[in-house]
Amino acid sequence: MQFLKRLLDFYIQSSIHVGFAVFCLVKITEITTKLHPIPFFSACVFFATILGYNFLKYLEVLRKGNFYSTKYYSILLVSIFSFIGLFYTFNNLKNTIQIYILFSGLLVLLYPFLRKFGLIKLFFVSVVVTFITVCIPNANTEFFVQDYEINLIQRFLIISSFLIPFEIIDSPFDPISLQTIPQKFGINKTKLFGMLLVISFVVLEFLKSNSSLVSFLIGLVTVILIHFSSTHRNKYYTSFWVESVPIFWLILVFIFC
């Protein structure tokens, strides 16, 4: 049991889990909008997500010289493999897609400078993930994808709602100067805000030419996760369960679409 816990911790801390989550968001876009997958793109996003998240999470640890432990060496090894995977898949993409990915990378590099602004931070992450998982997959098409604008807004709304539990759980540890949503408006109002985001996501689904029950189910799961979020939840609540929603979403898409 202890071995499995250590394995799960490594899987989460090395950002492999969030890599799968963003990979699934790309696949959801491809399947639900009937796009032809861009060769190597989803794999490139998977490797880039792991590398980007590890860079953001462990930059401070590396800067302070506290990187000398078995855990960090293992994470460094995953990051090196991810860099190799990213290099290979990136070089097999079309030039236009490469430019979009490089632009996304520049946005990620801006995050450490924007994280001090609580409200901006949340929506900035949502914009970046939406750009990577909706805009870029559609950039390869020569025809107008039906309901593209709705998909774009929906993805921004649902990603923002996924981040609400993180905001709540992190609020006691965030410097008060950040003025995150929970710090500024309180936990209950933050939950209400998150649920309004989800409701908007679901309502937009009914405006599509082909609405899906899957969006309603994902909305329901997200509302439940927001409702039960609290400052007393452990790290697995967000780092595993909340980040598992896109994986669960893709499974539902395979079943119902």
Side-chain angles (χ1 to χ4, degrees):
M1 186 62 73
Q2 196 64 29
F3 169 75
L4 292 176
K5 183 182 181 300
R6 285 201 300 270
L7 191 63
L8 177 63
D9 287 341
F10 173 72
Y11 170 71
I12 293 170
Q13 291 166 3
S14 62
S15 303
I16 296 173
H17 188 53
V18 73
F20 274 127
V22 181
F23 169 88
C24 288
L25 290 172
V26 173
K27 288 300 176 185
I28 289 162
T29 299
E30 292 174 350
I31 296 169
T32 57
T33 55
K34 297 178 172 58
L35 292 174
H36 292 296
I38 301 171
F40 296 99
F41 175 66
S42 54
C44 184
V45 168
F46 171 72
F47 292 123
T49 302
I50 293 174
L51 197 62
Y53 264 75
N54 284 347
F55 170 77
L56 293 174
K57 282 197 294 186
Y58 302 111
L59 177 63
E60 192 64 27
V61 176
L62 185 62
R63 190 158 46 191
K64 289 181 178 179
N66 298 328
F67 210 78
Y68 304 103
S69 74
T70 304
K71 180 183 82 170
Y72 290 131
Y73 282 137
S74 301
I75 291 169
L76 179 62
L77 191 61
V78 169
S79 300
I80 291 170
F81 278 119
S82 296
F83 175 80
I84 294 169
L86 174 60
F87 182 80
Y88 175 75
T89 53
F90 181 83
N91 280 320
N92 281 281
L93 293 169
K94 292 181 179 178
N95 290 340
T96 51
I97 304 301
Q98 288 179 335
I99 291 169
Y100 288 134
I101 290 175
L102 288 173
F103 176 69
S104 304
L106 289 174
L107 292 178
V108 170
L109 291 176
L110 284 176
Y111 179 79
F113 302 100
L114 294 174
R115 66 187 306 173
K116 62 182 74 171
F117 305 104
L119 288 171
I120 296 175
K121 177 190 70 171
L122 184 145
F123 296 119
F124 179 78
V125 171
S126 301
V127 167
V128 173
V129 176
T130 299
F131 178 76
I132 293 169
T133 64
V134 179
C135 294
I136 299 180
N138 279 276
N140 201 42
T141 61
E142 297 178 356
F143 56 90
F144 180 76
V145 176
Q146 198 171 33
D147 301 322
Y148 171 70
E149 291 88 354
I150 296 177
N151 287 327
L152 203 63
I153 298 168
Q154 276 189 305
R155 186 61 56 85
F156 172 79
L157 291 169
I158 199 67
I159 295 298
S160 298
S161 67
F162 289 163
L163 295 173
I164 294 297
F166 288 89
E167 294 286 299
I168 292 171
I169 290 172
D170 291 343
S171 60
F173 311 103
D174 287 331
I176 197 67
S177 59
L178 286 181
Q179 285 295 284
T180 60
I181 298 176
Q183 290 173 336
K184 198 173 180 66
F185 302 105
I187 301 296
N188 290 334
K189 287 183 179 178
T190 302
K191 288 184 179 183
L192 179 61
F193 174 67
M195 290 176 187
L196 288 174
L197 291 173
V198 178
I199 290 169
S200 302
F201 165 81
V202 173
V203 168
L204 283 171
E205 184 65 25
F206 293 105
L207 299 179
K208 288 183 177 180
S209 50
N210 294 302
S211 56
S212 171
L213 175 66
V214 172
S215 293
F216 174 77
L217 294 174
I218 291 302
L220 181 62
V221 169
T222 307
V223 164
I224 291 170
L225 288 168
I226 291 172
H227 174 72
F228 287 104
S229 297
S230 78
T231 55
H232 304 296
R233 293 288 178 186
N234 63 37
K235 61 184 178 181
Y236 299 109
Y237 190 81
T238 48
S239 298
F240 183 76
W241 292 111
V242 175
E243 289 181 357
S244 293
V245 176
I247 301 171
F248 176 60
W249 190 353
L250 181 59
I251 292 169
L252 290 178
V253 166
F254 279 129
I255 294 172
F256 292 104
C257 295

